[in-house]
Amino acid sequence: MPLDDVGTRRRPELGTPRSAEIFTRIITHGPVSRLDIGRLTGLSQAKVTKTVNPLIEGGYVTVGEHAEHSFPGRPVRPLSVVPRSMIAIGVKVNQDEIFAVTVSLGNEVLGSTRRRLKSHDPDSTVDAIVTSVRSLIAQLGGDAASIAGVGVSVSGDIDSSTGLVRHSPLLGWSHFALGERLAAELPLPITVENDVRALAKSEQWFGAGRDAESFAIITIGAGIGCGIYVNDDVVVGAHGVAGEIGHLPLASSDALCVCGRRGCVEAVASSRAIRDAVSLEHGDPELTLAGVIRLAHEGDPAAVAAFERAGTAIGAAVAATVNLFGPEVVVIAGEGVMDYDLYERRFREEFLAHAFGAAANCRLVVQRHTFTDWARGAAVAALREAITASTAATGE
């Protein structure tokens, strides 16, 4: 399909935030009956039916082929989304590569691509993103008409309302209008989001946070991040930097962070910080993270100490998070959880030492996320933005 023809399918005209809420309930909990939607939203079945009928007629929602008798009387015919009626492309930007996926409303990954970056300067990265998006569009064929937008997730301080990367220490970017640059190259709505917030949005729709009133997702890897879901939304904050627990000053003041400050959690708990500390102790600048992990498993004192410092800082940061807003669930995620056994004891000790009262009762879930999952988060952010935009366009 020619690039100019993508995304030509009419978007659902949801009308009101309540309509968007019902559509989202069907996305996240379908197949679901009208009765259950009414219970979840407080609306009558008549109102629910009136709201979903345009979605059914537009091909976004379908009525179940089979009926389920959950109570005496008329059989229940559950509602489900039509998965490929809306599709988004999600891109996760890292220092040395980008991951891109195509995701349907049914959370199905329809295509993926991985591209190495010779340089992560802004111009090279934009070129790589555009190339990856065009490749995924070509893979979709006729389904490309259903693309609702492109989501791009980047670490750091992101203004998602404008697509501005205000500051990304890991990439070395400041005040880069990524959304504007991509919009000039691609004829699709562009959503730029902080990578951890995007992951939290995906987790709220399809993961451990789907049925939780509140949750936090703590990511451990090249950076330390936190996405917070409370009061029916992922928290952004007045200045767009809510959840930056990686920059809480809970580590030693002699630990220098990539953000330029000292004492940040990330300065001792990120993958880079752990590797650098052990490399320095051994006088081996070529030591890799895999080598550090091997040394820790072998009981090397420097490697063991580095992981214990990381566990101490992360445990204190998670305790501070649960003390502040008391989530039902905390998901410990990211590529760094592969090494969770190396710092779990210190993490749990520190968490229990500082979690106040009943806050310590929140459920802790350890869950590895691949970079495909991170890219899926960016796609979900774009799908959510498309639904929000369709609501705003109709005047309420």
Side-chain angles (χ1 to χ4, degrees), residues 96-393:
D96 55 357
E97 57 190 343
I98 63 171
F99 292 77
V101 297
T102 310
V103 178
S104 73
L105 272 183
N107 198 33
E108 177 188 7
V109 175
L110 306 176
S112 64
T113 182
R114 179 176 184 174
R115 188 171 300 274
R116 300 288 299 183
L117 293 173
K118 294 181 180 178
S119 168
H120 60 258
D121 69 87
D123 289 339
S124 298
T125 304
V126 167
D127 289 344
I129 292 171
V130 171
T131 300
S132 295
V133 169
R134 287 176 172 163
S135 172
L136 290 174
I137 290 171
Q139 292 178 29
L140 281 173
D143 283 336
S146 295
I147 296 176
V150 176
V152 181
S153 67
V154 180
S155 67
D157 179 0
I158 312 299
D159 184 349
S160 56
S161 66
T162 64
L164 177 69
V165 179
R166 286 189 288 236
H167 184 47
S168 178
L170 288 177
L171 295 176
W173 296 358
S174 291
H175 301 288
F176 176 50
L178 177 59
E180 183 179 312
R181 284 287 305 276
L182 290 173
E185 299 283 345
L186 298 168
L188 287 164
I190 305 295
T191 300
V192 179
E193 181 60 281
N194 169 271
D195 55 355
V196 183
R197 283 203 300 267
L199 192 61
K201 290 177 178 181
S202 179
E203 200 69 22
Q204 189 266 319
W205 264 21
F206 300 117
R210 191 177 72 158
D211 295 311
E213 293 285 334
S214 59
F215 73 89
I217 180 165
I218 311 293
T219 58
I220 303 168
I224 308 296
C226 175
I228 297 169
Y229 176 83
V230 67
N231 295 331
D232 297 324
D233 206 357
V234 174
V235 178
V236 176
H239 305 291
V241 289
E244 289 290 344
I245 69 166
H247 300 288
L248 292 176
L250 298 175
S252 170
S253 61
D254 62 356
L256 180 64
C257 184
V258 293
C259 73
R261 298 170 180 81
R262 292 185 177 274
C264 296
V265 171
E266 197 168 297
V268 297
S270 70
S271 300
R272 175 191 295 179
I274 293 170
R275 181 201 64 206
D276 288 352
V278 181
S279 174
L280 183 63
E281 284 288 325
H282 282 269
D284 181 4
E286 302 301 318
L287 188 62
T288 64
L289 180 61
V292 169
I293 293 167
R294 176 182 53 78
L295 288 171
H297 281 298
E298 293 172 353
D300 176 80
V304 169
F307 277 103
E308 293 215 337
R309 283 194 298 271
T312 299
I314 296 168
V318 174
T321 301
V322 301
N323 288 346
L324 283 171
F325 83 103
E328 288 181 44
V329 182
V330 173
V331 180
I332 311 296
E335 61 275 19
V337 301
M338 292 180 65
D339 318 311
Y340 183 66
D341 61 306
L342 294 173
Y343 56 83
E344 179 182 10
R345 181 183 62 82
R346 286 298 303 130
F347 163 77
R348 290 190 177 273
E349 287 177 353
E350 199 70 11
F351 172 76
L352 293 173
H354 293 288
F356 180 74
N361 294 332
C362 74
R363 184 162 55 96
L364 298 178
V365 177
V366 179
Q367 184 171 308
R368 183 190 175 196
H369 279 92
T370 66
F371 283 116
T372 296
D373 295 313
W374 286 91
R376 189 203 305 262
V380 170
L383 287 170
R384 291 168 66 119
E385 182 60 29
I387 292 171
T388 300
S390 69
T391 301

Side-chain angles (χ1 to χ4, degrees), residues 55-74:
L55 297 172
I56 295 170
E57 293 166 3
Y60 296 96
V61 170
T62 185
V63 181
E65 293 296 327
H66 62 283
E68 299 177 359
H69 291 271
S70 58
F71 55 86
R74 296 174 61 187

